[in-house]
């Protein structure tokens, strides 16, 4: 029961969601809609579960006075303020939207902006043309970078009445080699996803169920 | 005993990271203080994006999905604002949603700003459905019934009562799906909304995502695309209202040239070191 | 002082706290990081509960009498069993339902949109139907895709012809990764431009409000 | 092993518990080593960078799907001098892993790698199946292109006309 039950449920639900694509049958379509709704509720609960485990994790750090437990207090405090504000004053006014607008948003945006600095230092320290492939990567990168900004678009030459600039070259790199590369990868990964999905439905792939499945 | 000749390029490769950081900060800050207003060339993908928006008849309802969080708002806010200004300016109505919990705050801020500018009223000219967990199920559920996917809007009002959504419940009744997306959401819209329901989709993307979806542009699975802050600047010029996209282009230009300089210097130092090492091993 | 001006100043201080990580890991940064982890987790849990449970389950079932949603609630409860190790196996039904449903509707859409249409798009246009430039581009795309598929072909040793073709494949891949690298740099710098626009434009405006 | 996705966290705990048991060291397994940090992408990246810098881990495995935080992780890890092995199907992050890591599995090589190591008959079968599909696609591409050169439009059969 502990093992065949979930796998059987998975097979039935998986086949239903697969078949619905090919039949206009009203009953199957209705159940397809149900499964989509149920799936969203389950995902919502799972996400809440994730946050609970974060709370437990930081709670343990505080209890064990592990290193940096002071910072765990800050995390638990931030979490509690948001939940209390959200429940009492709702999502639309009071501290909840204010904290999102002036605490969470700027910090999340700034953390991402740090990457501009990391990319710069990586460009200087890590991006070496060690081999032909790495060299091609850098040349394509430089062409695209220069060709996509106003300054770079002005560098070029006139041939006949058309002006060929770095932008034309960068458009070509994006529309031909880059397109072929992304398409080649996409086809391969698409096959991989399909194979994994089939294995899950047929119960061959059970690792996601954990020990003893 | 390191040969003396290698001293200066040894230094090249041992520059402290923080010196590089200061150079980047300067390259970005200076043009913001002293604008250069360089000309902006419009790409084909941005023209296609604009053409698709122009093709929607006034009064029709388009679906605008804010598929991003605060971390990429610098690149994508200018796009969503420009799309709303373009739509409201042409009398096109908008039903908005988001597939990220972090997108709700962003969507509310931009919808409020654009609606106030154009004097549009909630419920008739535009509506905001809010966030639904599990984007693939949401995109498919909208194909069956928009009101089924979102029983209530973001503010708890049942979607059956919204005047905007009368006669609008499936992709067939939505002339255009516009996704402003950070990670692979534009690709998922193509797979889930385009796959079974043949929705017509245009996407405004972060630069990093834009480069991944050229295959979908070529096959027509995506009808138009904006790529990064440059895409936002191009669309702002096409819509005729310059915004943060255009204002950022000078800094973008200068910073790119700086990064290219870093790559060249880094590799120069590397090549010199390799030649010195090669000469040492031969000695 | 309006809530907005206070907010902009708090945002500016926290922005500088995060930027301080560039100098080195320091308490000022770690406080900001911990606050972000907590506030964002709180934000997400309120939204997940509000949209996943209230708007998607409670309101439709209680007010709109859609009882077909009840099994969804039950599966959600089964997932909560993960919290107690002794009955953790019950949650497997919810996990199996979630993962299998996703797998089911994935297969047809991924096959059509990520594989069949991409293959169709790579075929050469009919002779004469496209300009020479377009035809040449299409031919290069076709060769690139074929070479990459050979590179990712694992059942045969990459020697001889297959070896040379897969060598072409890795070079095309690198051109594609180069384009990704160029675009990624563009994206990162745009985000930094956004933060500097905040610091150089929004912050001074709020400070001026304060001084009046 | 810090995690960013609650479902992956629960699955990871199970898989790692089985792995410890498989080599007979079940007692060394501590569920607290596999914990959830935050759903926020950058709260996660900062948390992991903190672990790398503070605990000076010797080897870093970046396996799975990554977004923008990949560069932060790879750059910080590179700076600590640890050996770094990456494997991801997120092709937007591959340029950085290729440049900042010692070895990078590109896209499908990640899946093929696990098959090569485990020699699992079921996984091997799936790989063979995918290779057979690739061979079929290669045939379609070559033959289809020849056909379309002479005016026959095979694209229609592949649903190319799908978009309205």
């Amino acid at each position: 029961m502990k093992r065949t039950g979930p796998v059987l449920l998975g097979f039935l639900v998986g086949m239903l969601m697969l078949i619905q694509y090919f039949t206009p049958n009203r009953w199957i379509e209705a159940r397809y809609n149900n499964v989509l709704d149920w799936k969203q509720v389950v995902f919502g609960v799972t996400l809440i579960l994730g946050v609970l485990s974060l709370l437990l994790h930081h709670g343990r750090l505080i209890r064990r006075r592990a290193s940096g437990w002071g910072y765990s207090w800050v995390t638990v405090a931030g979490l509690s303020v948001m939940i209390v504000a959200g429940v009492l004053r709702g999502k639309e006014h009071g501290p909840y939207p204010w904290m999102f607008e002036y605490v969470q948003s700027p910090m999340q945006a700034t953390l991402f902006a740090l990457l501009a600095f990391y990319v710069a230092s990586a460009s200087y320290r890590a991006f070496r043309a060690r081999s032909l492939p790495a060299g091609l990567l850098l040349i394509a990168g430089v062409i695209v970078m220069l060709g996509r900004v106003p300054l770079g678009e002005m560098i070029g030459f006139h041939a006949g009445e058309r002006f060929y600039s770095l932008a034309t070259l960068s458009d070509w790199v994006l529309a031909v080699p880059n397109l072929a590369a992304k398409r080649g990868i996409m086809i391969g990964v698409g096959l991989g996803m399909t194979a994994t999905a089939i294995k899950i439905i047929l119960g061959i792939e059970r690792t996601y169920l954990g020990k003893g499945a | 005993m390191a040969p003396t000749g290698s001293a200066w390029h040894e230094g090249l490769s041992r520059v402290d990271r923080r010196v590089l950081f200061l150079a980047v900060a300067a390259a970005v800050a200076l043009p913001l203080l002293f604008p250069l207003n360089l000309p902006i060339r419009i790409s084909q993908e941005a023209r296609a994006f604009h053409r698709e928006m122009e093709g929607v008849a006034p009064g029709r309802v388009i679906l605008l999905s804010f598929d991003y969080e605060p971390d990429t708002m610098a690149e994508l806010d200018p796009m969503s604002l420009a799309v709303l200004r373009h739509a409201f300016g042409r009398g096109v109505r908008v039903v908005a949603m988001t597939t990220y919990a972090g997108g709700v705050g962003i969507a509310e801020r931009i919808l409020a700003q654009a609606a106030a500018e154009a004097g549009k009223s909630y419920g008739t000219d535009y509506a905001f459905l809010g966030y639904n967990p599990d984007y693939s199920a949401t995109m498919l559920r909208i194909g069956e019934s928009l009101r089924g996917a979102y029983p209530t809007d973001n503010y708890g009002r049942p979607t059956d009562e919204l005047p905007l959504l009368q006669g609008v419940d499936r992709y067939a009744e939505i002339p255009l799906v516009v996704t402003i997306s950070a990670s692979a959401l534009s690709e998922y819209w193509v797979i889930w909304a385009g796959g079974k329901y043949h929705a017509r989709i245009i996407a405004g993307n972060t630069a990093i995502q834009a480069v991944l979806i050229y295959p979908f542009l070529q096959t027509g699975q995506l009808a138009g695309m904006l790529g990064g802050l440059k895409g936002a600047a191009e669309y702002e010029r096409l819509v005729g209202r310059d915004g943060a996209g255009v204002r950022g282009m000078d800094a973008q230009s200068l910073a790119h040239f700086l990064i290219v300089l870093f790559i060249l210097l880094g590799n120069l130092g590397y090549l010199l070191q390799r030649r010195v090492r090669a000469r040492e091993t031969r000695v | 002082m309006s809530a907005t001006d206070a907010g902009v100043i708090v945002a500016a201080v926290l922005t500088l706290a995060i930027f301080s990580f560039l100098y080195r890991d320091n308490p000022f940064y770690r406080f900001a990081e911990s606050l972000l982890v907590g506030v964002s987790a709180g934000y997400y849990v309120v939204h997940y509960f509000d949209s996943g449970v209230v708007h998607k389950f409670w309101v439709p079932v209680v007010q709109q009498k859609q009882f077909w949603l009840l099994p969804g609630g039950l599966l959600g409860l089964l997932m909560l069993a993960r919290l107690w190790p002794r009955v953790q196996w019950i949650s497997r039904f919810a996990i199996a339902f979630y993962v299998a449903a996703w797998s089911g509707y994935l297969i047809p859409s991924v096959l059509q949109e990520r594989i069949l249409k991409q293959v169709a798009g790579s075929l050469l246009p009919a002779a004469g139907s496209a300009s020479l430039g377009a035809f040449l581009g299409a031919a290069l795309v076709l060769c690139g895709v074929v070479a990459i598929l050979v590179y990712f072909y694992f059942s045969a040793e990459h020697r001889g012809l297959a070896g040379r073709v897969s060598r072409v494949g890795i070079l095309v891949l690198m051109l594609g990764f180069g384009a990704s690298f160029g675009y990624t740099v563009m994206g990162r710098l745009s985000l930094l431009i956004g933060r500097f626009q905040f610091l150089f434009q929004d912050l001074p405006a709020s400070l001026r409000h304060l001084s009046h | 092993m810090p995690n960013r996705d609650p479902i992956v966290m629960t699955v990871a705990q199970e898989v790692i518990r089985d792995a410890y048991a498989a080599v007979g060291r079940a007692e060394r397994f501590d569920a607290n080593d596999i914990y959830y940090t935050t759903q926020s992408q950058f709260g996660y990246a900062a948390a992991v960078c903190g672990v790398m810098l503070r605990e000076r881990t010797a080897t870093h495995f970046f396996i799975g799907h990554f977004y923008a935080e990949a560069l932060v992780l790879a750059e910080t890890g590179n700076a600590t001098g640890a050996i770094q092995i990456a494997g991801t199907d997120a092709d937007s992050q591959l340029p950085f892993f290729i440049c900042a890591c010692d070895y990078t599995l590109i896209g499908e090589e990640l899946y093929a790698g696990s098959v090569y190591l485990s020699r699992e008959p079921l996984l091997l079968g799936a790989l063979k199946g995918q290779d057979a599909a690739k061979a079929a696609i290669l045939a379609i591409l070559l033959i289809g292109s020849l056909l379309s050169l002479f005016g026959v439009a095979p694209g229609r059969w592949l649903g190319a006309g799908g978009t309205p």
Side-chain angles (χ1 to χ4, degrees):
Chain A
M1 177 53 187
K2 288 190 180 180
R3 190 160 69 93
T4 51
V7 169
L8 188 62
L9 173 68
F11 175 76
L12 293 175
V13 169
M15 290 313 287
L16 167 72
M17 298 306 274
L18 181 58
I19 293 163
Q20 56 75 25
Y21 192 85
F22 302 102
T23 74
N25 173 299
R26 306 297 310 160
W27 188 83
I28 289 183
E29 194 180 307
R31 296 297 77 72
Y32 164 67
N33 283 326
N34 295 145
V35 168
L36 289 178
D37 289 331
W38 302 343
K39 184 167 181 282
Q40 288 177 46
V41 176
V42 169
F43 192 70
V45 171
T46 311
L47 293 170
I48 294 164
L49 196 64
V51 177
L52 285 182
S53 85
L54 171 79
L55 206 59
L56 293 176
H57 166 67
H58 283 286
R60 268 197 303 275
L61 285 184
I62 292 172
R63 230 189 357 270
R64 284 206 322 256
R65 294 289 189 285
S67 77
W69 66 276
Y71 294 113
S72 289
W73 265 117
V74 174
T75 301
V76 170
L79 183 67
S80 329
V81 165
M82 284 302 269
I83 291 176
V84 167
V87 169
L88 293 185
R89 295 286 304 281
K91 306 202 314 269
E92 302 316 318
H93 16 71
Y96 184 87
W98 188 89
M99 295 274 282
F100 173 78
E101 193 66 34
Y102 298 111
V103 172
Q104 180 176 338
S105 295
M107 283 206 281
Q108 256 184 317
T110 310
L111 266 170
F112 222 104
L114 288 183
L115 275 168
F117 295 103
Y118 285 128
V119 151
S121 79
S123 300
Y124 186 80
R125 296 182 347 157
F127 295 160
R128 296 287 179 271
R130 296 187 187 81
S131 58
L132 177 59
L136 278 178
L137 191 150
L138 285 177
I139 291 166
V142 166
I143 289 171
V144 167
M145 255 195 298
L146 295 183
R148 298 305 289 180
V149 279
L151 217 55
E153 285 160 0
M154 294 192 274
I155 300 169
F157 55 91
H158 281 282
E161 83 299 339
R162 270 205 60 183
F163 176 65
Y164 291 94
S165 75
L166 274 177
T168 350
L169 185 57
S170 123
D171 287 348
W172 181 82
V173 167
L174 286 163
V176 178
N178 170 62
L179 190 147
K182 297 306 188 276
R183 179 167 282 165
I185 293 173
M186 185 186 292
I187 290 174
V189 169
L191 289 174
M193 286 167 78
T194 310
T196 310
I198 293 170
K199 284 190 291 182
I200 287 171
I201 295 175
L202 299 179
I204 299 166
E205 171 75 47
R206 287 194 300 275
T207 47
Y208 65 92
L209 288 178
K211 182 170 58 55
Chain B
M1 199 271 290
T4 53
S6 72
W8 67 275
H9 75 69
E10 282 292 336
L12 253 185
S13 63
R14 259 202 325 284
V15 169
D16 184 284
R17 277 169 76 173
R18 284 171 283 241
V19 171
L20 307 177
F21 293 163
L22 285 177
V24 172
V28 170
L30 290 177
L32 289 179
L33 301 174
F34 314 105
L36 311 166
N37 296 327
L38 300 164
I40 293 172
R41 171 182 164 278
I42 314 285
S43 67
Q44 289 311 327
E45 304 91 37
R47 286 189 202 287
F49 188 98
H50 183 259
R51 209 172 29 247
E52 288 298 320
M53 283 291 289
E54 287 284 314
V56 178
R60 297 289 306 269
V61 177
I62 63 172
L63 174 65
L64 170 62
S65 186
F66 290 81
D67 298 333
Y68 61 99
E69 294 207 298
D71 33 31
T72 50
M73 61 184 176
E75 258 184 296
L76 298 176
D77 275 359
M79 288 186 200
S80 13
L81 191 56
V83 165
L84 281 170
R85 281 175 174 162
H86 192 185
F88 287 154
R90 295 189 57 252
V92 169
R93 300 188 296 163
V94 175
V95 57
M97 60 172 273
T98 172
T99 53
Y100 277 98
V104 173
I106 292 174
E108 286 178 316
R109 172 166 48 83
I110 291 182
L111 279 166
Q113 180 185 348
E117 277 174 10
K120 296 290 178 179
S121 55
Y122 187 87
T124 48
D125 298 314
Y126 73 101
F128 178 45
L129 304 177
Y131 163 73
N132 243 1
D134 194 338
Y135 54 79
S136 55
T138 304
M139 292 170 187
L140 289 168
R141 193 69 178 80
I142 291 175
E144 303 294 320
S145 156
L146 180 64
R147 289 195 277 276
Y150 283 93
T152 65
D153 72 1
N154 185 52
Y155 308 103
R157 275 177 59 184
T159 40
D160 294 334
E161 293 165 13
L162 289 176
L164 179 78
L165 295 183
Q166 299 318 316
V168 173
D169 201 31
R170 306 166 79 106
Y171 287 120
E173 291 128 16
I174 296 173
L176 191 62
V177 172
V178 183
T179 165
I180 306 295
S181 60
S183 61
L185 264 299
S186 46
E187 197 175 330
Y188 295 140
W189 276 104
V190 167
I191 292 173
W192 307 121
K196 185 178 181 190
Y197 304 101
H198 306 306
R200 190 161 188 81
I201 302 163
I202 58 175
N205 296 98
T206 52
I208 188 169
Q209 176 62 18
V211 75
L212 294 171
I213 54 175
Y214 273 85
F216 295 115
L217 267 174
Q218 192 245 347
T219 59
Q221 291 164 283
L222 269 179
M225 189 266 287
L226 302 178
L229 198 63
K230 173 74 167 18
E234 292 168 18
Y235 185 55
E236 281 170 359
R237 273 286 152 84
L238 287 170
V239 171
R241 284 190 69 160
D242 285 4
V246 171
R247 284 201 305 277
M249 277 303 109
D250 301 335
Q252 194 90 44
S253 290
L254 213 59
H256 278 209
F257 275 74
L258 181 73
I259 300 287
V260 169
L261 180 68
F262 281 172
I263 292 176
L264 298 181
L265 278 179
N267 278 281
L268 182 66
Y270 169 71
L271 288 180
L272 289 174
Q273 253 172 351
R274 228 168 49 162
R275 186 173 309 132
V276 164
R277 209 169 298 131
R279 210 180 320 119
E280 273 167 20
T281 47
R282 271 203 305 282
V283 156
Chain C
M1 171 162 42
S2 78
T4 313
D5 291 331
V8 168
I9 289 159
V10 165
V13 168
L14 292 173
T15 298
L16 296 176
I18 299 286
F19 272 142
S20 70
F21 186 76
L22 290 171
Y23 182 65
R24 56 178 168 70
D25 193 353
N26 59 75
F28 194 41
Y29 166 80
R30 292 205 45 206
F31 169 81
E33 171 201 77
S34 309
L35 183 62
L36 172 62
V37 169
V39 168
S40 57
Y43 175 86
Y44 289 124
V45 79
V46 168
H47 262 285
Y48 295 149
F49 187 80
D50 182 62
S51 59
V53 176
V54 172
H55 284 198
K56 198 64 201 176
F57 179 74
W58 188 258
V59 168
V61 167
V62 171
Q63 290 170 6
Q64 299 169 345
K65 300 289 179 275
Q66 295 180 4
F67 296 115
W68 266 109
L69 280 171
L70 285 176
L74 174 67
L75 285 164
L77 291 178
L78 292 185
M79 186 59 99
L80 286 180
R82 284 215 72 79
L83 290 174
W84 295 278
R86 215 165 32 72
V87 288
Q88 228 170 15
W89 63 275
I90 297 177
S91 68
R92 284 200 195 130
F93 286 93
I95 296 175
F97 163 79
Y98 179 86
V99 174
W102 178 78
S103 305
Y105 62 69
L106 172 135
I107 294 172
S109 290
V110 162
L111 277 179
Q112 179 182 319
E113 296 300 311
R114 283 193 97 166
I115 295 175
L116 294 182
K117 279 194 180 168
Q118 297 305 323
V119 168
S122 311
L123 300 178
L124 292 177
S129 73
S131 70
L132 180 64
F135 188 86
L136 201 62
L140 286 174
V141 166
L142 175 67
C143 298
V145 173
V146 165
I148 289 168
L149 285 177
V150 168
Y151 175 80
F152 285 121
Y153 189 81
F154 301 111
S155 302
E157 195 69 25
H158 288 177
R159 270 201 318 274
L161 177 63
R164 276 191 301 281
V165 170
S166 88
R167 180 78 184 143
V168 168
I170 190 70
L171 296 185
V172 174
L173 277 173
M174 285 302 162
L175 285 176
F177 291 147
S180 290
F181 165 66
Y183 257 63
T184 302
V185 169
M186 184 166 136
R188 302 300 175 242
L189 290 168
S190 308
L191 300 178
L192 181 60
I193 290 169
R195 292 322 297 155
F196 274 30
Q197 279 174 339
F198 167 75
L199 289 176
F200 291 125
Q201 282 149 11
D202 301 0
L203 181 60
S206 289
L207 292 178
R208 270 195 302 277
H209 291 170
L210 288 186
S211 57
H212 291 343
Chain D
M1 183 190 171
N3 273 274
R4 190 181 148 237
D5 181 315
I7 290 189
V8 170
M9 173 199 73
T10 49
V11 170
Q13 279 168 341
E14 307 278 346
V15 169
I16 292 179
R17 175 188 286 127
D18 296 353
Y20 270 95
V23 295
R25 308 295 291 276
E27 77 290 349
R28 295 288 298 279
F29 173 74
D30 173 3
N32 293 331
D33 292 342
I34 299 114
Y35 55 91
Y36 172 85
T37 51
T38 169
Q39 189 81 7
S40 144
Q41 171 182 13
F42 267 83
Y44 170 73
V48 173
C49 287
V51 169
M52 285 196 280
L53 291 170
R54 283 190 290 274
E55 291 174 18
R56 286 285 170 206
T57 39
T59 309
H60 303 147
F61 284 90
F62 304 121
I63 303 290
H65 196 77
F66 286 86
Y67 299 99
E69 74 280 359
L71 176 67
V72 179
L73 300 174
E75 166 78 16
T76 311
N78 188 320
T80 63
I83 294 172
Q84 300 204 124
I85 295 166
T88 180
D89 58 356
D91 32 76
S92 53
Q93 303 308 320
L94 279 166
F96 301 104
F97 280 143
I98 289 170
C99 292
C101 293
D102 300 288
Y103 191 79
T104 307
L105 290 171
I106 299 174
E108 296 172 68
E109 288 178 326
L110 172 64
Y111 306 117
S114 57
V115 171
Y116 182 75
L117 290 177
S118 64
R119 281 275 174 243
E120 251 270 331
L122 290 173
L123 295 175
L124 209 55
L127 189 90
K128 285 282 181 201
Q130 285 170 49
D131 274 356
K134 268 175 223 151
I137 288 173
L138 279 169
I140 294 171
L141 279 172
L142 298 175
I143 299 164
S145 292
L146 285 177
L147 284 178
S148 76
L149 261 182
F150 304 111
V152 178
R156 275 178 291 100
W157 306 329
L158 295 166
T163 331

